Amino acid sequence: MLNTEHLPGAVQTIVNRYWQRMLEGEQSDTAELMRLLAANPVLQEELCKVWVASDYAANLCILNPVLLVDLIKRGELERADKQDYLPELEALLSEFFNKEMKSADADFKRTLRRFQQKQMLRIIWRDISGKAQVMEVCADMSHLADACLQSSLNLLHHWCTQQWGEPRAEKKSQHQYEQNENPGKLQTMLVIGMGKLGAFELNLSSDIDLIFTYPESGETHWPNAADKNKPVISNQQYFTRLGQELIEALDAVTSDGFVFRVDMRLRPYGSEGALVCSFDAMEDYYQSQGRDWERYAMIKARIVAGNKLEGAEILERLRPFVYRRYLDFSAFEALRAMKMQINKQVRRKGMSQDVKLGPGGIREVEFVVQALQLVHGGRERGLQVASLHKAMQELVRNNYLPAETIDELDEAYLFLRVLEHRLQGLANKQTQSLVSNPVEQQRIALALNFASWSDMLAVLETHRGNVVRHFNEVIHDENEDDSATDENDDSEWLALWTQEINEEAALKFLKEHNFEDAEQSWALLTEFRKSRDFVLLPVESRLRFNRFMPVLLDAVSESPTPSFSLSRVMVLIESVSRRTAYLILLLENPGTLQQLILLCTGSPFITEFLSKHPVLLDELLGGISQPPEKSVLQNELQQQLLRISEDDFEEQMELLRYFKQSHTLQVAAAQITGRMTVMKVSDYLSFTAEAVLEQVLKLSWQYLVRKHGYPVNTDGAHGELDFAIVGYGKMGGIELSYASDLDLVFLHKGALDKETVVPEKSAADTQTAPRVINSREFYTRLAQRIIMMLGTYTVSGKLYEVDMRLRPSGESGLLVSSLDAYRQYQENEAWTWEHQALVRARGVAGNAALLQEFYRVREQVLAKQREPKTLRDEVVSMRLRMRDELGRKAGSQKDKPPFVIKQGEGGIVDIEFIVQYLVLSQSRICPALLEWSDNVRILEAADGCALLEPGDSHVLTEAYLALRSALHNFALQENDLTDPLLELVPFRESVTQVWKRIFATDV
């Protein structure tokens, strides 16, 4: 007799009644089950607990005790690794492959259902007895469904082929049609699992949401000549019949019950659509007609049966529909609409006690996570996962939600899922509603290890409260907080935007709101509304504009120059008019909209930059006041690239460009708002370029090693990257600006005529074995690939323009030099102006030991003895010749600010020549001049060695920073800046005076 004394009276009665039914039963295995239970008191306790929680499990034990007997004898109740059901099920179904469908169908379904019942009993037992955690239970259920689908599909495909032939892809040539030979590729049906099945999160009593598809159109083919006169059908007809048979096999209720309820409503066009469609039809539907809720559904899509390799193809083709490359804040808008419909359903049907759809329920947890997956998943591959728990971990890892928030959501989700299992396990019904019957409440509470129903409700309400709070924080509806005044203001701005008021009223309204050029602003809005791009927008996009434009106009009216600000911002708005998800981003983030107005007003460069790369708008969500450490930038880029396959060259190129562009925008925003000085701006831009160069070198090296093996160095060793990149000019001087070229020189330490070494593992594969080349060619190709990766245009633009003219022998020299050749050239052949350029050279990427050797060469060359007068004459002559040549090339532009600031008398280049002259003439007696490559710190070193007149170092530094700041501002403003030129006159005059004192001549 079971020990049920610890149970409440009503529950005790139910369990005792089940026990009595089993004792009175006529099943032949009942006595064996009794013997096993009598010998194991722990099993008796578990049986009691299972029967308390599940009528379905109790009836399985009573009506078919052999299931439990078999599970106990085989130790299945204790096993936690029961993941692959397929081999066992395929063995049970193997006999039916030799039978015809008509005669074997009933036995097939009976075998399938009894196998499912046995595994369901095992899963429920382990769940309720506490042997398995809830997500292990869900995974077990999902694997069971996968096995039932795959084994059934295999058998049914075999049977259908016997009736209608083999489905084949379309034949490719007329000859094939005429000769009836070389049939197209054999086609098989793929089953896409959606919802909880796709995410390995299936409930004890869940439907399985499925979509059927197949690769290519065509028709069936009879392989045997004897069958060639049999009729054929299209692949569409074949797979439709196969799909119908598969649904019937699983979903039909027989005397043995059903396997899984099958729901096909998530397929293209829903219940009205074809039961199965080809890959092309699937892709066309989702790209042209897919709706927002289908994007959410597709997050969890997984191939659960069929050819997994072919399945990967269709999922990859559908990926752009689900995950957009930009930050897709329209996901929040769509989710709010979906949640609103759910709330209406909850209220209409009185479902507030539904733990899935009610407030703080399972669906709200899913919505929070999935919304952030859709918003950020296009750029963050780690978020492109079906599993809710894996997505949660990624959200924390990437700082999209605090760990505390995820912990509370995760705890709530797990509790709700366990409760859902107990509600469904009671009678194997698909329900998520809290029970009202007191006895059932007692049973559920006991199954959850609570003393009472009220104790359980208290914990439930805490979890639901946490979910509601976090849901509102993430999926906040700004309309809920709008005051009546705000609504009235919006309605007036809306009337202006939609031109429901006439021009006279509109101009009056704009002037009342401080638009300094009301006529121009009104004309701008009118012209945009009449433009082809706007007129041809779909209705949904136009509605988004009706929401956005009143908010924009109201925000612009708060700026000091509303008309000017509007004209700048509208350049960007026009550029994204056909991608209105960007408008949603700005609506979702009012602070970003304010920042955008400020930056566009302050800089046409930023306006144009964002118009070309609107994907960067989300970078305005935060602001910085100090450049990150170079190591932080390096680590950020490295981590992002690690998430991309090493073979996905296109994705690597796009990520590199996004990284550079996003940080360029960040630094420009910091400069415009005054949060960053000119030196910090250059530091940031230079560090960003170094991080990019480091990864471009690494990727190029890995590519060439896979293709050609390892180059051999001068010591005869291989395997290390004996290659270095030296930055000259602004890159070398840590003084990059927004549009700077990269002046680079490549060095290596390879044994030029030695062939590359192929690893034994690679050489063994004759199909992909690397092709051996000599080390000279290897390093040349490495340099070419680096230049290609930096300079190739893609849809996102290019990284950097590369200038290699400062390499030994200039444009006629080798693209990459050995260190020895570089040393010999600098010591014996280089001109004085090349030594001047060497002053601003520094290592920016590559082998650390090789770079140290480069620095030793640099020091030796710069510190060598030079005849003072000859050096002075050469420096002055080069400066005059440079200005003259550049002036002639610039023509009328030589009077423009950039030329004046940089090349004009007393400009930036004069200061650079002074610095370079000091290094070349004085570094033998002042080694501190050789420590740095940037002008400001070299001037500090010169001052420390008293190489200049008192105060001259300060004068030059102050002038240099002022001139560079003006040049940076010019790049951002993209105008003549005539007034700032006047402000720079005193600085330039001071520089000219220092020049005359040093060189005793006019500039």
Side-chain angles (χ1 to χ4, degrees):
M1 185 68 180
L2 282 181
N3 180 12
T4 60
E5 295 178 356
H6 62 289
L7 299 176
V11 178
Q12 186 181 105
T13 300
I14 291 172
V15 176
N16 288 339
R17 189 183 301 130
Y18 279 138
W19 182 256
Q20 192 61 35
R21 278 182 57 197
M22 191 165 74
L23 292 175
E24 295 171 356
E26 299 179 358
Q27 299 295 327
S28 58
D29 295 284
T30 299
E32 177 69 1
L33 178 58
M34 291 295 187
R35 185 186 66 77
L36 291 171
L37 290 170
N40 193 332
V42 174
L43 271 178
Q44 293 182 42
E45 293 177 12
E46 291 176 356
L47 180 72
C48 181
K49 191 168 186 178
V50 170
W51 285 6
V52 166
S54 176
D55 293 333
Y56 171 74
N59 283 315
L60 280 179
C61 294
I62 294 166
L63 298 176
N64 204 352
V66 67
L67 298 178
L68 185 55
V69 169
D70 191 41
L71 289 171
I72 294 171
K73 285 185 173 181
R74 295 173 60 178
E76 295 292 329
L77 297 179
E78 306 301 323
R79 285 183 58 188
D81 60 344
K82 184 71 172 182
Q83 295 288 321
D84 190 0
Y85 299 92
L86 190 59
E88 182 179 353
L89 184 53
E90 284 186 327
L92 290 172
L93 299 181
S94 60
E95 63 175 295
F96 299 115
F97 280 83
N98 299 319
K99 300 178 180 180
E100 292 186 356
M101 184 176 187
K102 187 174 182 180
S103 62
D105 185 58
D107 289 339
F108 155 59
K109 289 176 180 173
R110 182 179 303 110
T111 302
L112 193 60
R113 280 153 179 74
R114 290 185 176 177
F115 176 81
Q116 185 263 1
Q117 288 172 356
K118 174 182 172 182
Q119 301 307 330
M120 282 292 291
L121 180 58
R122 171 189 173 272
I123 292 170
I124 292 173
W125 188 291
R126 287 179 51 76
D127 180 25
I128 296 171
S129 64
K131 295 178 183 293
Q133 299 298 314
V134 62
M135 297 317 297
E136 180 187 337
V137 173
C138 293
D140 246 5
M141 284 296 302
S142 302
H143 286 294
L144 176 60
D146 286 1
C148 291
L149 282 162
Q150 184 65 67
S151 58
S152 300
L153 181 62
N154 292 342
L155 177 59
L156 292 169
H157 179 81
H158 171 75
W159 279 346
C160 288
T161 300
Q162 290 180 330
Q163 294 187 57
W164 301 303
E166 298 175 340
R168 294 278 181 172
E170 291 180 352
K171 298 172 183 177
K172 303 302 181 183
S173 69
Q174 184 64 31
H175 175 76
Q176 288 177 324
Y177 279 108
E178 292 171 354
Q179 301 299 319
N180 193 30
E181 58 188 30
N182 297 323
K185 183 180 178 181
L186 182 66
Q187 302 289 288
T188 57
M189 190 171 80
L190 291 96
V191 181
I192 302 176
M194 307 290 285
K196 288 184 169 62
L197 173 60
F200 287 107
E201 296 170 356
L202 203 61
N203 289 333
L204 290 176
S205 189
S206 286
D207 291 354
I208 53 175
D209 296 294
L210 306 177
I211 295 176
F212 298 153
T213 184
Y214 62 95
E216 298 182 58
S217 299
E219 61 183 23
T220 55
H221 169 81
W222 294 97
N224 297 323
D227 298 326
K228 66 179 181 179
N229 292 324
K230 288 185 177 181
V232 299
I233 60 176
S234 69
N235 287 354
Q236 179 72 41
Q237 293 171 306
Y238 176 92
F239 289 119
T240 297
R241 294 177 184 180
L242 175 57
Q244 291 167 341
E245 293 293 341
L246 182 59
I247 294 170
E248 174 74 12
L250 299 175
D251 189 82
V253 179
T254 70
S255 58
D256 296 294
F258 62 91
V259 185
F260 288 99
R261 303 178 192 90
V262 177
D263 191 335
M264 299 296 300
R265 291 175 295 175
L266 292 181
R267 68 186 188 268
Y269 300 104
S271 300
E272 304 301 318
L275 185 66
V276 58
C277 55
S278 68
F279 283 8
D280 286 345
M282 283 269 288
E283 184 177 20
D284 179 69
Y285 169 80
Y286 285 110
Q287 295 298 345
S288 62
Q289 301 188 51
R291 289 159 288 180
D292 288 320
W293 67 263
E294 288 174 302
R295 290 183 64 201
Y296 280 90
M298 273 290 166
I299 289 177
K300 294 180 179 291
R302 176 175 65 88
I303 302 301
V304 295
N307 187 311
K308 298 294 176 66
L309 290 177
E310 290 181 338
E313 177 191 339
I314 184 59
L315 293 183
E316 188 63 30
R317 287 168 68 173
L318 298 181
R319 188 183 301 275
F321 165 69
V322 184
Y323 297 105
R324 311 289 162 78
R325 282 190 177 275
Y326 49 82
L327 262 195
D328 185 16
F329 276 82
S330 65
F332 286 140
E333 183 184 44
L335 185 144
R336 290 194 194 104
M338 292 165 61
K339 180 58 179 170
M340 187 180 299
Q341 293 301 317
I342 291 172
N343 290 344
K344 288 180 180 178
Q345 178 186 358
V346 168
R347 288 192 296 268
R348 185 173 66 252
K349 297 184 178 181
M351 299 167 62
S352 62
Q353 296 304 298
D354 190 298
V355 299
K356 179 180 180 181
L357 300 179
I362 293 169
R363 182 54 52 84
E364 287 193 0
V365 180
E366 293 174 337
F367 272 8
V368 168
V369 176
Q370 291 171 343
L372 292 171
Q373 282 183 272
L374 290 183
V375 170
H376 300 283
R379 294 214 319 265
E380 201 64 64
R381 278 295 186 106
L383 288 171
Q384 296 182 15
V385 292
S387 166
L388 192 77
H389 280 273
K390 289 181 180 177
M392 284 182 173
Q393 293 164 10
E394 287 294 318
L395 290 174
V396 173
R397 191 165 71 87
N398 291 285
N399 298 315
Y400 292 127
L401 282 179
E404 297 78 10
T405 297
I406 288 295
D407 287 344
E408 289 189 349
L409 287 173
D410 192 36
E411 290 175 12
Y413 181 75
L414 293 176
F415 182 85
L416 290 166
R417 290 302 301 274
V418 174
L419 175 56
E420 181 184 34
H421 278 196
R422 297 298 175 267
L423 294 170
Q424 293 182 348
L426 198 62
N428 195 26
K429 291 182 179 179
Q430 190 180 20
T431 179
Q432 285 92 14
S433 294
L434 297 176
V435 294
S436 56
N437 181 289
V439 176
E440 291 182 343
Q441 289 178 346
Q442 281 187 320
R443 294 177 69 183
I444 296 294
L446 290 171
L448 291 167
N449 297 316
F450 285 99
S452 68
W453 180 253
S454 60
D455 289 348
M456 189 282 295
L457 285 180
V459 175
L460 172 61
E461 289 309 306
T462 298
H463 286 307
R464 292 177 75 172
N466 289 337
V467 173
V468 168
R469 175 164 48 86
H470 293 309
F471 180 87
N472 289 335
E473 288 171 353
V474 175
I475 319 295
H476 176 66
D477 189 346
E478 73 280 359
N479 293 327
E480 294 177 359
D481 297 333
D482 285 347
S483 65
T485 302
D486 291 336
E487 289 173 1
N488 290 334
D489 287 346
D490 282 351
S491 66
E492 291 179 323
W493 287 114
L494 178 61
L496 175 78
W497 157 245
T498 57
Q499 301 194 341
E500 295 173 8
I501 57 177
N502 60 33
E503 181 175 355
E504 182 181 353
L507 294 177
K508 179 182 178 184
F509 182 78
L510 288 170
K511 290 175 181 177
E512 289 173 350
H513 286 79
N514 302 317
F515 279 73
E516 73 277 14
D517 192 342
E519 290 80 4
Q520 186 261 352
S521 297
W522 173 251
L524 184 65
L525 295 174
T526 302
E527 289 170 9
F528 177 68
R529 289 185 62 85
K530 291 179 179 178
S531 68
R532 179 180 175 83
D533 284 346
F534 182 78
V535 170
L536 295 180
L537 285 177
V539 173
E540 181 183 358
S541 296
R542 291 166 70 92
L543 291 175
R544 284 182 176 176
F545 263 101
N546 288 347
R547 285 185 57 206
F548 172 74
M549 288 303 295
V551 176
L552 172 65
L553 291 167
D554 188 23
V556 163
S557 70
E558 300 297 323
S559 71
T561 53
S563 292
F564 180 71
S565 297
L566 179 63
S567 66
R568 283 279 180 82
V569 175
M570 284 303 294
V571 173
L572 171 61
I573 300 306
E574 289 172 15
S575 72
V576 301
S577 60
R578 299 185 66 83
R579 291 169 287 177
T580 53
Y582 291 120
L583 306 185
I584 302 304
L585 183 154
L586 296 171
L587 282 170
E588 295 284 349
N589 300 276
T592 300
L593 179 58
Q594 294 289 347
Q595 175 106 338
L596 177 69
I597 294 169
L598 173 65
L599 295 177
C600 288
T601 303
S603 171
F605 168 84
I606 292 181
T607 305
E608 185 67 21
F609 194 75
L610 284 171
S611 298
K612 290 180 180 177
H613 313 292
V615 69
L616 299 172
L617 273 170
D618 65 284
E619 298 296 335
L620 300 179
L621 294 176
I624 57 172
S625 56
Q626 292 291 327
E629 294 291 333
K630 183 168 70 174
S631 59
V632 172
L633 290 168
Q634 290 170 320
N635 183 63
E636 176 189 335
L637 182 55
Q638 181 179 10
Q639 292 303 314
Q640 291 176 5
L641 284 167
L642 285 175
R643 298 168 200 165
I644 299 175
S645 167
E646 64 179 17
D647 297 322
D648 196 341
F649 179 68
E650 180 181 350
E651 193 68 24
Q652 291 169 351
M653 294 278 277
E654 287 300 307
L655 191 148
L656 287 165
R657 279 149 181 75
Y658 183 86
F659 175 83
K660 184 242 183 169
Q661 291 161 358
S662 65
H663 285 288
T664 299
L665 179 62
Q666 287 278 17
V667 72
Q671 183 181 346
I672 283 291
T673 54
R675 300 194 307 269
M676 199 174 289
T677 64
V678 63
M679 286 194 69
K680 295 294 185 182
V681 166
S682 291
D683 286 350
Y684 195 163
L685 293 171
S686 301
F687 294 163
T688 301
E690 286 182 59
V692 169
L693 280 171
E694 181 182 80
Q695 292 304 318
V696 166
L697 172 57
K698 181 178 179 181
L699 293 170
S700 299
W701 166 262
Q702 291 171 345
Y703 169 81
L704 284 164
V705 165
R706 290 197 301 271
K707 193 171 182 180
H708 300 297
Y710 292 100
V712 178
N713 67 20
T714 52
D715 297 328
H718 66 274
E720 293 293 327
L721 173 64
D722 293 303
F723 185 91
I725 302 177
V726 176
Y728 276 69
K730 290 183 178 178
M731 183 64 181
I734 321 177
E735 296 170 356
L736 279 189
S737 186
Y738 297 102
S740 294
D741 295 348
L742 299 187
D743 293 295
L744 303 179
V745 168
F746 300 138
L747 302 176
H748 72 87
K749 203 175 181 182
L752 299 181
D753 297 324
K754 294 286 187 179
E755 291 187 334
T756 51
V757 177
V758 177
E760 292 182 7
K761 184 177 180 181
S762 299
D765 186 351
T766 56
Q767 292 185 342
T768 61
R771 184 172 67 85
V772 171
I773 58 177
N774 64 47
S775 296
R776 182 199 300 273
E777 185 177 357
F778 181 96
Y779 283 119
T780 299
R781 293 189 179 190
L782 179 61
Q784 290 170 337
R785 188 167 181 85
I786 291 169
I787 295 170
M788 179 273 291
M789 289 191 70
L790 292 172
T792 298
Y793 275 98
T794 70
V795 292
S796 300
K798 69 176 178 179
L799 282 168
Y800 296 98
E801 192 73 49
V802 177
D803 191 335
M804 299 292 299
R805 289 175 297 178
L806 290 176
R807 68 185 186 269
S809 301
E811 293 179 341
S812 63
L814 296 174
L815 193 60
V816 56
S817 302
S818 69
L819 184 67
D820 288 340
Y822 180 83
R823 178 189 294 108
Q824 291 173 17
Y825 179 84
Q826 291 291 345
E827 290 177 347
N828 303 317
E829 301 178 47
W831 297 81
T832 299
W833 67 265
E834 290 178 286
H835 289 169
Q836 288 180 245
L838 189 60
V839 170
R840 296 221 293 169
R842 67 185 178 92
V844 292
N847 184 284
L850 182 55
L851 287 174
Q852 285 302 315
E853 290 188 53
F854 157 75
Y855 282 123
R856 284 194 287 272
V857 171
R858 176 179 179 270
E859 290 177 6
Q860 291 167 6
V861 171
L862 295 180
K864 76 175 185 177
Q865 183 70 46
R866 292 175 174 85
E867 201 284 316
K869 183 178 185 308
T870 301
L871 176 63
R872 186 183 304 111
D873 291 344
E874 288 180 346
V875 170
V876 172
S877 175
M878 175 55 66
R879 179 69 194 103
L880 294 174
R881 187 162 66 249
M882 176 189 291
R883 183 180 299 134
D884 187 49
E885 289 179 1
L886 292 175
R888 283 200 306 272
K889 290 179 181 179
S892 61
Q893 294 298 314
K894 67 182 180 180
D895 294 325
K896 295 293 183 179
F899 185 86
V900 173
I901 295 170
K902 187 173 182 179
Q903 297 289 345
E905 185 174 341
I908 289 174
V909 178
D910 284 354
I911 301 173
E912 292 175 346
F913 268 54
I914 291 171
V915 169
Q916 292 159 11
Y917 171 74
L918 290 173
V919 173
L920 294 179
S921 63
Q922 304 296 328
S923 56
R924 284 177 62 85
I925 62 173
C926 181
L929 294 172
L930 301 174
E931 292 183 19
W932 303 101
S933 60
D934 64 288
N935 292 307
V936 171
R937 279 184 280 205
I938 293 175
L939 285 171
E940 290 175 356
D943 191 49
C945 292
L947 301 178
L948 293 167
E949 295 289 332
D952 280 359
S953 176
H954 175 73
V955 166
L956 292 174
T957 300
E958 189 178 30
Y960 188 66
L961 294 177
L963 292 165
R964 279 185 55 206
S965 180
L967 204 58
H968 276 267
N969 288 334
F970 182 85
L972 290 177
Q973 295 298 335
E974 297 182 345
N975 58 35
D976 285 352
L977 288 178
T978 52
D979 290 339
L981 278 185
L982 297 177
E983 296 173 2
L984 296 174
V985 169
F987 294 108
R988 293 171 57 208
E989 289 177 346
S990 298
V991 172
T992 301
Q993 293 303 316
V994 176
W995 178 281
K996 289 179 178 179
R997 282 197 291 272
I998 292 175
F999 295 107
T1001 181
D1002 291 337
V1003 181

